[in-house]
Amino acid sequence: MKVYIAGKITGNDHYREEFDAAEEKLRALGYIPITPAILPEGLDSRDYMRICLAMLDSADAIALLPTWAHSGGAKIELALAEYTGKQVIHTWMIADT
């Protein structure tokens, strides 16, 4: 199952570490993580959202990081995931590997 990871990136100095940890947890469960944390810096916020929504569209589920509620983009991603019937995974509920 392909799982898109959603959380706060803008204004979060530790987002790469947080997304990497979630990616590791999801891989350990046999999922294929799709992470926006790999995107290059310097793009326009609208470009990021278009790319991220395409990534989410190709996923079967969305995995929320604890920071998701502080991100306007992650809120949009969750709304779309719920609207399209994707499974929602709360990463803080997954035991550390």
Side-chain angles (χ1 to χ4, degrees), residues 18-63:
E18 293 169 5
F19 278 77
D20 287 349
E23 186 175 352
E24 185 177 314
K25 282 183 175 184
L26 293 167
R27 249 185 235 294
L29 294 173
Y31 298 137
I32 301 166
I34 301 172
T35 176
I38 63 165
L39 296 175
E41 294 183 16
L43 299 178
D44 181 88
S45 62
R46 293 169 297 188
D47 291 327
Y48 285 120
M49 185 77 337
R50 283 190 286 269
I51 293 167
C52 289
L53 292 179
M55 294 168 82
L56 174 60
D57 187 49
S58 69
D60 303 303
I62 186 169

